[in-house]
């Protein structure tokens, strides 16, 4: 059974810092991995999707990497801003039927 | 981008009543819709997968008679929490896929059962 773990559970940093969020998964047989953002009491916004054949994806200040063999992904956020404060979730799709298995999330706070 | 509308955003009900949550894909046809449940400070847990015109597939441990899912058209799926109890209070989120690997998520419904 696929399990996804995110470390740390919470992170608080000053504005402007670069930071890394970590995600690990137990079964390397995945189709893709996604990073989502969730604001309090809201739904999910997809940030980046990495196919199993890819190593990384970039969007603006965000860069996500994938090492499928070791079961790890990182989300790098450059020059953090208070507006980046949210919970970040990673999810892997594997086993067909588009089923996503989510990690517990990292609650990020960027302090002005 | 594709939009998924989920309604209501919040519902408060008395114990024993049933609550219906709607999930609509506004600008695409959703061949598959997913229902998730999220407890405070926890991750999303997949409850069931529904395909238009067929019965939903429930994940292990999810009571199908408790959580009725109907996917009557390519743009609408509903989740009905029957005889709701306080332990059913949670955040419910739907998502919709159009056949590829992208899922589009609704804004979620916060259910509070008194």
């Amino acid at each position: 059974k696929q399990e996804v773990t995110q470390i740390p559970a919470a992170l608080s940093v000053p504005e402007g810092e670069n930071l890394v969020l970590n995600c690990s998964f137990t079964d390397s047989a995945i189709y893709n991995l996604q990073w989502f953002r969730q604001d309090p009491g809201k739904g999910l916004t997809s940030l980046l999707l990495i196919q199993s054949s890819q190593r990384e994806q970039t969007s603006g200040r965000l860069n996500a990497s994938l090492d499928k063999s070791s079961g790890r992904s990182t989300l790098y956020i450059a020059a953090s801003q208070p507006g980046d404060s949210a919970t970040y979730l990673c999810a892997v799709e594997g086993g067909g039927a588009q089923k996503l298995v989510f990690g517990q999330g990292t609650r990020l706070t960027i302090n002005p | 981008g594709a939009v998924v509308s989920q309604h209501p955003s919040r519902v408060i009900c008395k114990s024993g009543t049933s609550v219906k949550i709607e999930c609509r894909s506004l600008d695409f046809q959703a061949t598959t819709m997913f229902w998730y449940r999220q407890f405070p400070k926890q991750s999303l847990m997949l409850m069931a997968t529904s395909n238009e015109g067929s019965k939903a597939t429930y994940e292990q441990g999810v009571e199908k008679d408790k959580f009725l899912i109907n996917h009557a058209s390519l743009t609408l799926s509903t989740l009905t929490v029957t005889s709701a109890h306080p332990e059913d209070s949670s955040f419910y989120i739907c998502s919709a896929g159009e056949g590829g690997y992208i899922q589009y998520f609704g804004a979620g419904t916060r259910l509070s059962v008194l």
Side-chain angles (χ1 to χ4, degrees), chain A residues 32 36 38 41-44 49 51 89 93 97-100 102-104, chain B residues 32 34 36 38 43-44 46 49 59 91 93 100-103 105-107 110:
Chain A
N32 58 63
F36 294 88
Q38 184 177 31
K42 303 293 184 182
L44 275 64
L49 182 148
Q51 299 281 16
L89 297 162
E93 179 185 346
Q98 296 182 281
K99 290 186 177 181
L100 295 178
F102 284 83
Q104 308 95 316
Chain B
T32 307
F34 304 86
Y36 296 85
Q38 185 179 32
S43 187
L44 278 73
L46 180 65
T49 303
E59 295 299 301
F91 192 59
I93 304 178
Y101 47 78
I102 301 292
Q103 288 183 33
F105 285 80
R110 182 160 303 285

PDB file of all heavy atoms in Angstrom, chain A residues 32 36 38 41-44 49 51 89 93 97-100 102-104, chain B residues 32 34 36 38 43-44 46 49 59 91 93 100-103 105-107 110:
ATOM      1  N   ASN A  32       2.810   9.566 -11.741  1.00  0.00           N
ATOM      2  CA  ASN A  32       3.216  10.958 -11.618  1.00  0.00           C
ATOM      3  C   ASN A  32       3.128  11.391 -10.174  1.00  0.00           C
ATOM      4  O   ASN A  32       2.582  10.677  -9.316  1.00  0.00           O
ATOM      5  CB  ASN A  32       2.349  11.864 -12.501  1.00  0.00           C
ATOM      6  CG  ASN A  32       0.871  11.778 -12.184  1.00  0.00           C
ATOM      7  OD1 ASN A  32       0.453  12.125 -11.082  1.00  0.00           O
ATOM      8  ND2 ASN A  32       0.065  11.344 -13.144  1.00  0.00           N
ATOM      9  N   PHE A  36       0.401  20.357  -4.564  1.00  0.00           N
ATOM     10  CA  PHE A  36      -0.787  21.197  -4.487  1.00  0.00           C
ATOM     11  C   PHE A  36      -0.601  22.228  -3.383  1.00  0.00           C
ATOM     12  O   PHE A  36       0.148  22.027  -2.433  1.00  0.00           O
ATOM     13  CB  PHE A  36      -2.040  20.380  -4.145  1.00  0.00           C
ATOM     14  CG  PHE A  36      -2.463  19.389  -5.190  1.00  0.00           C
ATOM     15  CD1 PHE A  36      -1.941  18.105  -5.177  1.00  0.00           C
ATOM     16  CD2 PHE A  36      -3.381  19.731  -6.158  1.00  0.00           C
ATOM     17  CE1 PHE A  36      -2.343  17.171  -6.122  1.00  0.00           C
ATOM     18  CE2 PHE A  36      -3.787  18.801  -7.110  1.00  0.00           C
ATOM     19  CZ  PHE A  36      -3.268  17.518  -7.083  1.00  0.00           C
ATOM     20  N   GLN A  38      -3.043  24.373  -0.633  1.00  0.00           N
ATOM     21  CA  GLN A  38      -4.374  24.468  -0.044  1.00  0.00           C
ATOM     22  C   GLN A  38      -4.392  25.609   0.957  1.00  0.00           C
ATOM     23  O   GLN A  38      -3.652  25.604   1.936  1.00  0.00           O
ATOM     24  CB  GLN A  38      -4.774  23.163   0.640  1.00  0.00           C
ATOM     25  CG  GLN A  38      -6.201  23.196   1.186  1.00  0.00           C
ATOM     26  CD  GLN A  38      -6.633  21.885   1.804  1.00  0.00           C
ATOM     27  OE1 GLN A  38      -5.818  21.150   2.353  1.00  0.00           O
ATOM     28  NE2 GLN A  38      -7.919  21.579   1.725  1.00  0.00           N
ATOM     29  N   GLY A  41      -9.442  26.146   4.727  1.00  0.00           N
ATOM     30  CA  GLY A  41     -10.849  25.975   4.413  1.00  0.00           C
ATOM     31  C   GLY A  41     -11.181  25.988   2.941  1.00  0.00           C
ATOM     32  O   GLY A  41     -12.358  26.131   2.572  1.00  0.00           O
ATOM     33  N   LYS A  42     -10.174  25.836   2.104  1.00  0.00           N
ATOM     34  CA  LYS A  42     -10.384  25.903   0.662  1.00  0.00           C
ATOM     35  C   LYS A  42     -10.014  24.595  -0.014  1.00  0.00           C
ATOM     36  O   LYS A  42      -9.473  23.682   0.596  1.00  0.00           O
ATOM     37  CB  LYS A  42      -9.544  27.035   0.061  1.00  0.00           C
ATOM     38  CG  LYS A  42      -9.810  28.396   0.659  1.00  0.00           C
ATOM     39  CD  LYS A  42     -11.199  28.902   0.345  1.00  0.00           C
ATOM     40  CE  LYS A  42     -11.411  30.302   0.878  1.00  0.00           C
ATOM     41  NZ  LYS A  42     -12.781  30.799   0.623  1.00  0.00           N
ATOM     42  N   GLY A  43     -10.291  24.542  -1.312  1.00  0.00           N
ATOM     43  CA  GLY A  43      -9.910  23.374  -2.084  1.00  0.00           C
ATOM     44  C   GLY A  43      -8.440  23.408  -2.451  1.00  0.00           C
ATOM     45  O   GLY A  43      -7.653  24.174  -1.893  1.00  0.00           O
ATOM     46  N   LEU A  44      -8.094  22.569  -3.416  1.00  0.00           N
ATOM     47  CA  LEU A  44      -6.689  22.427  -3.803  1.00  0.00           C
ATOM     48  C   LEU A  44      -6.398  23.135  -5.122  1.00  0.00           C
ATOM     49  O   LEU A  44      -7.206  23.102  -6.046  1.00  0.00           O
ATOM     50  CB  LEU A  44      -6.342  20.946  -3.974  1.00  0.00           C
ATOM     51  CG  LEU A  44      -5.937  20.188  -2.731  1.00  0.00           C
ATOM     52  CD1 LEU A  44      -7.051  20.109  -1.726  1.00  0.00           C
ATOM     53  CD2 LEU A  44      -5.465  18.791  -3.099  1.00  0.00           C
ATOM     54  N   LEU A  49       3.111  19.274 -11.730  1.00  0.00           N
ATOM     55  CA  LEU A  49       2.930  17.841 -11.931  1.00  0.00           C
ATOM     56  C   LEU A  49       4.177  17.308 -12.616  1.00  0.00           C
ATOM     57  O   LEU A  49       4.632  17.873 -13.621  1.00  0.00           O
ATOM     58  CB  LEU A  49       1.701  17.555 -12.786  1.00  0.00           C
ATOM     59  CG  LEU A  49       1.373  16.077 -13.037  1.00  0.00           C
ATOM     60  CD1 LEU A  49      -0.130  15.885 -13.159  1.00  0.00           C
ATOM     61  CD2 LEU A  49       2.060  15.547 -14.297  1.00  0.00           C
ATOM     62  N   GLN A  51       5.747  13.959 -14.339  1.00  0.00           N
ATOM     63  CA  GLN A  51       5.513  12.610 -14.823  1.00  0.00           C
ATOM     64  C   GLN A  51       6.634  11.703 -14.315  1.00  0.00           C
ATOM     65  O   GLN A  51       7.731  12.172 -14.001  1.00  0.00           O
ATOM     66  CB  GLN A  51       5.494  12.587 -16.358  1.00  0.00           C
ATOM     67  CG  GLN A  51       4.406  13.431 -16.970  1.00  0.00           C
ATOM     68  CD  GLN A  51       3.046  12.763 -16.933  1.00  0.00           C
ATOM     69  OE1 GLN A  51       2.838  11.806 -16.201  1.00  0.00           O
ATOM     70  NE2 GLN A  51       2.122  13.279 -17.721  1.00  0.00           N
ATOM     71  N   LEU A  89       0.635  20.220  -0.251  1.00  0.00           N
ATOM     72  CA  LEU A  89       0.400  18.781  -0.259  1.00  0.00           C
ATOM     73  C   LEU A  89       1.073  18.153  -1.472  1.00  0.00           C
ATOM     74  O   LEU A  89       1.032  18.726  -2.568  1.00  0.00           O
ATOM     75  CB  LEU A  89      -1.096  18.482  -0.336  1.00  0.00           C
ATOM     76  CG  LEU A  89      -1.965  18.944   0.829  1.00  0.00           C
ATOM     77  CD1 LEU A  89      -3.415  18.974   0.430  1.00  0.00           C
ATOM     78  CD2 LEU A  89      -1.780  18.008   2.014  1.00  0.00           C
ATOM     79  N   GLU A  93       0.250   9.421  -7.992  1.00  0.00           N
ATOM     80  CA  GLU A  93      -0.737   8.609  -8.685  1.00  0.00           C
ATOM     81  C   GLU A  93      -0.066   7.316  -9.102  1.00  0.00           C
ATOM     82  O   GLU A  93       0.973   7.315  -9.745  1.00  0.00           O
ATOM     83  CB  GLU A  93      -1.278   9.313  -9.929  1.00  0.00           C
ATOM     84  CG  GLU A  93      -2.299   8.470 -10.686  1.00  0.00           C
ATOM     85  CD  GLU A  93      -2.751   9.091 -11.992  1.00  0.00           C
ATOM     86  OE1 GLU A  93      -2.483  10.291 -12.198  1.00  0.00           O
ATOM     87  OE2 GLU A  93      -3.369   8.384 -12.793  1.00  0.00           O
ATOM     88  N   ALA A  97      -6.425   4.077 -12.548  1.00  0.00           N
ATOM     89  CA  ALA A  97      -7.701   4.696 -12.175  1.00  0.00           C
ATOM     90  C   ALA A  97      -7.532   6.108 -11.614  1.00  0.00           C
ATOM     91  O   ALA A  97      -8.426   6.607 -10.940  1.00  0.00           O
ATOM     92  CB  ALA A  97      -8.451   3.824 -11.158  1.00  0.00           C
ATOM     93  N   GLN A  98      -6.412   6.742 -11.904  1.00  0.00           N
ATOM     94  CA  GLN A  98      -6.167   8.132 -11.494  1.00  0.00           C
ATOM     95  C   GLN A  98      -6.242   8.348  -9.988  1.00  0.00           C
ATOM     96  O   GLN A  98      -6.431   9.468  -9.540  1.00  0.00           O
ATOM     97  CB  GLN A  98      -7.192   9.069 -12.155  1.00  0.00           C
ATOM     98  CG  GLN A  98      -7.101   9.129 -13.669  1.00  0.00           C
ATOM     99  CD  GLN A  98      -8.127  10.107 -14.220  1.00  0.00           C
ATOM    100  OE1 GLN A  98      -9.315   9.774 -14.338  1.00  0.00           O
ATOM    101  NE2 GLN A  98      -7.686  11.300 -14.531  1.00  0.00           N
ATOM    102  N   LYS A  99      -6.082   7.292  -9.211  1.00  0.00           N
ATOM    103  CA  LYS A  99      -6.175   7.460  -7.763  1.00  0.00           C
ATOM    104  C   LYS A  99      -4.962   8.200  -7.237  1.00  0.00           C
ATOM    105  O   LYS A  99      -3.826   7.848  -7.531  1.00  0.00           O
ATOM    106  CB  LYS A  99      -6.272   6.098  -7.088  1.00  0.00           C
ATOM    107  CG  LYS A  99      -7.580   5.384  -7.312  1.00  0.00           C
ATOM    108  CD  LYS A  99      -7.630   4.117  -6.490  1.00  0.00           C
ATOM    109  CE  LYS A  99      -8.961   3.418  -6.654  1.00  0.00           C
ATOM    110  NZ  LYS A  99      -9.027   2.194  -5.824  1.00  0.00           N
ATOM    111  N   LEU A 100      -5.220   9.210  -6.425  1.00  0.00           N
ATOM    112  CA  LEU A 100      -4.153   9.982  -5.810  1.00  0.00           C
ATOM    113  C   LEU A 100      -4.022   9.603  -4.337  1.00  0.00           C
ATOM    114  O   LEU A 100      -5.014   9.489  -3.631  1.00  0.00           O
ATOM    115  CB  LEU A 100      -4.429  11.479  -5.917  1.00  0.00           C
ATOM    116  CG  LEU A 100      -4.452  12.085  -7.321  1.00  0.00           C
ATOM    117  CD1 LEU A 100      -4.787  13.564  -7.258  1.00  0.00           C
ATOM    118  CD2 LEU A 100      -3.108  11.885  -8.008  1.00  0.00           C
ATOM    119  N   PHE A 102      -2.321  11.109  -0.987  1.00  0.00           N
ATOM    120  CA  PHE A 102      -1.798  12.372  -0.505  1.00  0.00           C
ATOM    121  C   PHE A 102      -0.926  12.196   0.731  1.00  0.00           C
ATOM    122  O   PHE A 102      -1.154  11.304   1.566  1.00  0.00           O
ATOM    123  CB  PHE A 102      -2.948  13.316  -0.139  1.00  0.00           C
ATOM    124  CG  PHE A 102      -3.633  13.930  -1.318  1.00  0.00           C
ATOM    125  CD1 PHE A 102      -4.630  13.248  -1.995  1.00  0.00           C
ATOM    126  CD2 PHE A 102      -3.282  15.202  -1.756  1.00  0.00           C
ATOM    127  CE1 PHE A 102      -5.271  13.808  -3.088  1.00  0.00           C
ATOM    128  CE2 PHE A 102      -3.913  15.777  -2.843  1.00  0.00           C
ATOM    129  CZ  PHE A 102      -4.908  15.081  -3.509  1.00  0.00           C
ATOM    130  N   GLY A 103       0.028  13.102   0.863  1.00  0.00           N
ATOM    131  CA  GLY A 103       0.749  13.233   2.113  1.00  0.00           C
ATOM    132  C   GLY A 103      -0.064  14.099   3.069  1.00  0.00           C
ATOM    133  O   GLY A 103      -1.132  14.626   2.712  1.00  0.00           O
ATOM    134  N   GLN A 104       0.442  14.239   4.281  1.00  0.00           N
ATOM    135  CA  GLN A 104      -0.282  14.981   5.314  1.00  0.00           C
ATOM    136  C   GLN A 104      -0.155  16.486   5.145  1.00  0.00           C
ATOM    137  O   GLN A 104      -0.888  17.250   5.765  1.00  0.00           O
ATOM    138  CB  GLN A 104       0.217  14.600   6.714  1.00  0.00           C
ATOM    139  CG  GLN A 104       0.225  13.117   6.981  1.00  0.00           C
ATOM    140  CD  GLN A 104       1.593  12.520   6.694  1.00  0.00           C
ATOM    141  OE1 GLN A 104       2.230  12.827   5.681  1.00  0.00           O
ATOM    142  NE2 GLN A 104       2.063  11.675   7.585  1.00  0.00           N
TER     143      GLN A 104
ATOM    144  N   THR B  32     -14.705  10.873 -14.903  1.00  0.00           N
ATOM    145  CA  THR B  32     -14.515  10.306 -13.565  1.00  0.00           C
ATOM    146  C   THR B  32     -14.519  11.422 -12.535  1.00  0.00           C
ATOM    147  O   THR B  32     -13.947  12.483 -12.772  1.00  0.00           O
ATOM    148  CB  THR B  32     -13.168   9.564 -13.473  1.00  0.00           C
ATOM    149  OG1 THR B  32     -13.073   8.604 -14.525  1.00  0.00           O
ATOM    150  CG2 THR B  32     -13.034   8.845 -12.135  1.00  0.00           C
ATOM    151  N   PHE B  34     -14.081  12.103  -8.198  1.00  0.00           N
ATOM    152  CA  PHE B  34     -13.535  11.519  -6.974  1.00  0.00           C
ATOM    153  C   PHE B  34     -14.068  12.294  -5.777  1.00  0.00           C
ATOM    154  O   PHE B  34     -14.218  13.514  -5.828  1.00  0.00           O
ATOM    155  CB  PHE B  34     -12.006  11.593  -6.977  1.00  0.00           C
ATOM    156  CG  PHE B  34     -11.365  10.947  -8.176  1.00  0.00           C
ATOM    157  CD1 PHE B  34     -11.192  11.664  -9.351  1.00  0.00           C
ATOM    158  CD2 PHE B  34     -10.938   9.626  -8.131  1.00  0.00           C
ATOM    159  CE1 PHE B  34     -10.604  11.073 -10.467  1.00  0.00           C
ATOM    160  CE2 PHE B  34     -10.352   9.036  -9.227  1.00  0.00           C
ATOM    161  CZ  PHE B  34     -10.190   9.751 -10.395  1.00  0.00           C
ATOM    162  N   TYR B  36     -13.235  13.016  -1.710  1.00  0.00           N
ATOM    163  CA  TYR B  36     -12.242  12.906  -0.661  1.00  0.00           C
ATOM    164  C   TYR B  36     -12.820  13.450   0.640  1.00  0.00           C
ATOM    165  O   TYR B  36     -13.717  14.290   0.657  1.00  0.00           O
ATOM    166  CB  TYR B  36     -10.994  13.721  -0.999  1.00  0.00           C
ATOM    167  CG  TYR B  36     -10.235  13.272  -2.219  1.00  0.00           C
ATOM    168  CD1 TYR B  36     -10.595  13.708  -3.492  1.00  0.00           C
ATOM    169  CD2 TYR B  36      -9.131  12.431  -2.109  1.00  0.00           C
ATOM    170  CE1 TYR B  36      -9.890  13.305  -4.613  1.00  0.00           C
ATOM    171  CE2 TYR B  36      -8.409  12.035  -3.217  1.00  0.00           C
ATOM    172  CZ  TYR B  36      -8.797  12.479  -4.467  1.00  0.00           C
ATOM    173  OH  TYR B  36      -8.097  12.095  -5.576  1.00  0.00           O
ATOM    174  N   GLN B  38     -11.382  15.076   4.419  1.00  0.00           N
ATOM    175  CA  GLN B  38     -10.200  15.604   5.085  1.00  0.00           C
ATOM    176  C   GLN B  38     -10.558  16.019   6.502  1.00  0.00           C
ATOM    177  O   GLN B  38     -11.388  16.913   6.710  1.00  0.00           O
ATOM    178  CB  GLN B  38      -9.645  16.814   4.311  1.00  0.00           C
ATOM    179  CG  GLN B  38      -8.337  17.348   4.864  1.00  0.00           C
ATOM    180  CD  GLN B  38      -7.805  18.524   4.047  1.00  0.00           C
ATOM    181  OE1 GLN B  38      -8.573  19.293   3.494  1.00  0.00           O
ATOM    182  NE2 GLN B  38      -6.482  18.650   3.970  1.00  0.00           N
ATOM    183  N   SER B  43      -4.454  14.715   6.004  1.00  0.00           N
ATOM    184  CA  SER B  43      -4.446  14.725   4.554  1.00  0.00           C
ATOM    185  C   SER B  43      -5.794  14.344   3.984  1.00  0.00           C
ATOM    186  O   SER B  43      -6.723  13.993   4.706  1.00  0.00           O
ATOM    187  CB  SER B  43      -3.376  13.766   4.047  1.00  0.00           C
ATOM    188  OG  SER B  43      -3.247  13.894   2.649  1.00  0.00           O
ATOM    189  N   LEU B  44      -5.885  14.438   2.670  1.00  0.00           N
ATOM    190  CA  LEU B  44      -7.097  14.009   1.991  1.00  0.00           C
ATOM    191  C   LEU B  44      -7.095  12.487   1.872  1.00  0.00           C
ATOM    192  O   LEU B  44      -6.082  11.894   1.494  1.00  0.00           O
ATOM    193  CB  LEU B  44      -7.158  14.596   0.577  1.00  0.00           C
ATOM    194  CG  LEU B  44      -7.669  16.015   0.413  1.00  0.00           C
ATOM    195  CD1 LEU B  44      -6.647  17.003   0.911  1.00  0.00           C
ATOM    196  CD2 LEU B  44      -8.017  16.296  -1.030  1.00  0.00           C
ATOM    197  N   LEU B  46      -9.077   9.424  -0.025  1.00  0.00           N
ATOM    198  CA  LEU B  46     -10.029   9.090  -1.073  1.00  0.00           C
ATOM    199  C   LEU B  46     -11.139   8.224  -0.499  1.00  0.00           C
ATOM    200  O   LEU B  46     -10.869   7.220   0.150  1.00  0.00           O
ATOM    201  CB  LEU B  46      -9.322   8.363  -2.217  1.00  0.00           C
ATOM    202  CG  LEU B  46     -10.199   7.941  -3.398  1.00  0.00           C
ATOM    203  CD1 LEU B  46     -10.765   9.171  -4.112  1.00  0.00           C
ATOM    204  CD2 LEU B  46      -9.398   7.083  -4.373  1.00  0.00           C
ATOM    205  N   THR B  49     -14.550   6.538  -6.027  1.00  0.00           N
ATOM    206  CA  THR B  49     -14.384   6.974  -7.409  1.00  0.00           C
ATOM    207  C   THR B  49     -15.681   6.695  -8.141  1.00  0.00           C
ATOM    208  O   THR B  49     -16.235   5.588  -8.020  1.00  0.00           O
ATOM    209  CB  THR B  49     -13.251   6.178  -8.083  1.00  0.00           C
ATOM    210  OG1 THR B  49     -12.060   6.342  -7.324  1.00  0.00           O
ATOM    211  CG2 THR B  49     -13.031   6.667  -9.504  1.00  0.00           C
ATOM    212  N   GLU B  59     -13.546   3.032  -1.456  1.00  0.00           N
ATOM    213  CA  GLU B  59     -12.301   2.588  -0.846  1.00  0.00           C
ATOM    214  C   GLU B  59     -12.606   1.749   0.397  1.00  0.00           C
ATOM    215  O   GLU B  59     -13.699   1.840   0.987  1.00  0.00           O
ATOM    216  CB  GLU B  59     -11.432   3.784  -0.468  1.00  0.00           C
ATOM    217  CG  GLU B  59     -10.958   4.587  -1.661  1.00  0.00           C
ATOM    218  CD  GLU B  59     -10.097   3.767  -2.610  1.00  0.00           C
ATOM    219  OE1 GLU B  59      -9.052   3.256  -2.179  1.00  0.00           O
ATOM    220  OE2 GLU B  59     -10.484   3.642  -3.792  1.00  0.00           O
ATOM    221  N   PHE B  91     -14.343  17.873   6.253  1.00  0.00           N
ATOM    222  CA  PHE B  91     -14.251  18.671   5.037  1.00  0.00           C
ATOM    223  C   PHE B  91     -14.270  17.699   3.863  1.00  0.00           C
ATOM    224  O   PHE B  91     -13.422  16.799   3.799  1.00  0.00           O
ATOM    225  CB  PHE B  91     -12.949  19.485   5.065  1.00  0.00           C
ATOM    226  CG  PHE B  91     -12.855  20.571   4.023  1.00  0.00           C
ATOM    227  CD1 PHE B  91     -13.793  21.586   3.973  1.00  0.00           C
ATOM    228  CD2 PHE B  91     -11.800  20.592   3.126  1.00  0.00           C
ATOM    229  CE1 PHE B  91     -13.701  22.598   3.035  1.00  0.00           C
ATOM    230  CE2 PHE B  91     -11.695  21.601   2.178  1.00  0.00           C
ATOM    231  CZ  PHE B  91     -12.642  22.610   2.137  1.00  0.00           C
ATOM    232  N   ILE B  93     -14.157  17.068  -0.221  1.00  0.00           N
ATOM    233  CA  ILE B  93     -13.700  17.707  -1.464  1.00  0.00           C
ATOM    234  C   ILE B  93     -13.908  16.751  -2.628  1.00  0.00           C
ATOM    235  O   ILE B  93     -13.625  15.558  -2.518  1.00  0.00           O
ATOM    236  CB  ILE B  93     -12.211  18.081  -1.395  1.00  0.00           C
ATOM    237  CG1 ILE B  93     -11.906  18.959  -0.205  1.00  0.00           C
ATOM    238  CG2 ILE B  93     -11.771  18.797  -2.673  1.00  0.00           C
ATOM    239  CD1 ILE B  93     -10.419  19.318  -0.079  1.00  0.00           C
ATOM    240  N   GLY B 100      -7.662  12.254 -18.718  1.00  0.00           N
ATOM    241  CA  GLY B 100      -6.199  12.278 -18.622  1.00  0.00           C
ATOM    242  C   GLY B 100      -5.763  12.128 -17.190  1.00  0.00           C
ATOM    243  O   GLY B 100      -6.477  11.598 -16.355  1.00  0.00           O
ATOM    244  N   TYR B 101      -4.591  12.618 -16.880  1.00  0.00           N
ATOM    245  CA  TYR B 101      -4.063  12.465 -15.516  1.00  0.00           C
ATOM    246  C   TYR B 101      -4.312  13.685 -14.656  1.00  0.00           C
ATOM    247  O   TYR B 101      -3.943  13.716 -13.499  1.00  0.00           O
ATOM    248  CB  TYR B 101      -2.568  12.147 -15.572  1.00  0.00           C
ATOM    249  CG  TYR B 101      -1.791  13.038 -16.516  1.00  0.00           C
ATOM    250  CD1 TYR B 101      -1.445  14.325 -16.155  1.00  0.00           C
ATOM    251  CD2 TYR B 101      -1.421  12.574 -17.775  1.00  0.00           C
ATOM    252  CE1 TYR B 101      -0.747  15.138 -17.026  1.00  0.00           C
ATOM    253  CE2 TYR B 101      -0.709  13.383 -18.649  1.00  0.00           C
ATOM    254  CZ  TYR B 101      -0.378  14.663 -18.268  1.00  0.00           C
ATOM    255  OH  TYR B 101       0.314  15.473 -19.136  1.00  0.00           O
ATOM    256  N   ILE B 102      -4.919  14.717 -15.207  1.00  0.00           N
ATOM    257  CA  ILE B 102      -5.180  15.921 -14.436  1.00  0.00           C
ATOM    258  C   ILE B 102      -6.527  15.808 -13.741  1.00  0.00           C
ATOM    259  O   ILE B 102      -7.535  15.424 -14.357  1.00  0.00           O
ATOM    260  CB  ILE B 102      -5.190  17.168 -15.342  1.00  0.00           C
ATOM    261  CG1 ILE B 102      -3.844  17.310 -16.049  1.00  0.00           C
ATOM    262  CG2 ILE B 102      -5.510  18.407 -14.529  1.00  0.00           C
ATOM    263  CD1 ILE B 102      -2.699  17.652 -15.140  1.00  0.00           C
ATOM    264  N   GLN B 103      -6.554  16.136 -12.451  1.00  0.00           N
ATOM    265  CA  GLN B 103      -7.799  16.240 -11.712  1.00  0.00           C
ATOM    266  C   GLN B 103      -7.982  17.690 -11.310  1.00  0.00           C
ATOM    267  O   GLN B 103      -7.032  18.352 -10.891  1.00  0.00           O
ATOM    268  CB  GLN B 103      -7.766  15.369 -10.442  1.00  0.00           C
ATOM    269  CG  GLN B 103      -7.837  13.885 -10.711  1.00  0.00           C
ATOM    270  CD  GLN B 103      -7.871  13.080  -9.428  1.00  0.00           C
ATOM    271  OE1 GLN B 103      -8.432  13.524  -8.422  1.00  0.00           O
ATOM    272  NE2 GLN B 103      -7.269  11.906  -9.454  1.00  0.00           N
ATOM    273  N   PHE B 105     -10.013  20.206  -8.780  1.00  0.00           N
ATOM    274  CA  PHE B 105     -10.641  20.087  -7.469  1.00  0.00           C
ATOM    275  C   PHE B 105     -11.678  21.173  -7.226  1.00  0.00           C
ATOM    276  O   PHE B 105     -11.498  22.332  -7.631  1.00  0.00           O
ATOM    277  CB  PHE B 105      -9.580  20.144  -6.361  1.00  0.00           C
ATOM    278  CG  PHE B 105      -8.791  18.867  -6.239  1.00  0.00           C
ATOM    279  CD1 PHE B 105      -7.754  18.589  -7.111  1.00  0.00           C
ATOM    280  CD2 PHE B 105      -9.100  17.940  -5.257  1.00  0.00           C
ATOM    281  CE1 PHE B 105      -7.033  17.402  -7.011  1.00  0.00           C
ATOM    282  CE2 PHE B 105      -8.382  16.758  -5.151  1.00  0.00           C
ATOM    283  CZ  PHE B 105      -7.355  16.490  -6.027  1.00  0.00           C
ATOM    284  N   GLY B 106     -12.738  20.784  -6.516  1.00  0.00           N
ATOM    285  CA  GLY B 106     -13.706  21.745  -6.037  1.00  0.00           C
ATOM    286  C   GLY B 106     -13.159  22.469  -4.814  1.00  0.00           C
ATOM    287  O   GLY B 106     -12.077  22.123  -4.297  1.00  0.00           O
ATOM    288  N   ALA B 107     -13.896  23.450  -4.354  1.00  0.00           N
ATOM    289  CA  ALA B 107     -13.450  24.269  -3.222  1.00  0.00           C
ATOM    290  C   ALA B 107     -13.743  23.614  -1.878  1.00  0.00           C
ATOM    291  O   ALA B 107     -13.314  24.117  -0.850  1.00  0.00           O
ATOM    292  CB  ALA B 107     -14.099  25.636  -3.283  1.00  0.00           C
ATOM    293  N   ARG B 110     -17.586  22.108   3.993  1.00  0.00           N
ATOM    294  CA  ARG B 110     -17.378  21.821   5.413  1.00  0.00           C
ATOM    295  C   ARG B 110     -18.704  21.409   6.041  1.00  0.00           C
ATOM    296  O   ARG B 110     -19.649  22.196   6.070  1.00  0.00           O
ATOM    297  CB  ARG B 110     -16.813  23.032   6.144  1.00  0.00           C
ATOM    298  CG  ARG B 110     -16.535  22.731   7.620  1.00  0.00           C
ATOM    299  CD  ARG B 110     -15.552  23.692   8.242  1.00  0.00           C
ATOM    300  NE  ARG B 110     -14.272  23.747   7.563  1.00  0.00           N
ATOM    301  CZ  ARG B 110     -13.324  22.819   7.635  1.00  0.00           C
ATOM    302  NH1 ARG B 110     -13.513  21.743   8.373  1.00  0.00           N
ATOM    303  NH2 ARG B 110     -12.180  22.968   6.989  1.00  0.00           N
TER     304      ARG B 110
END
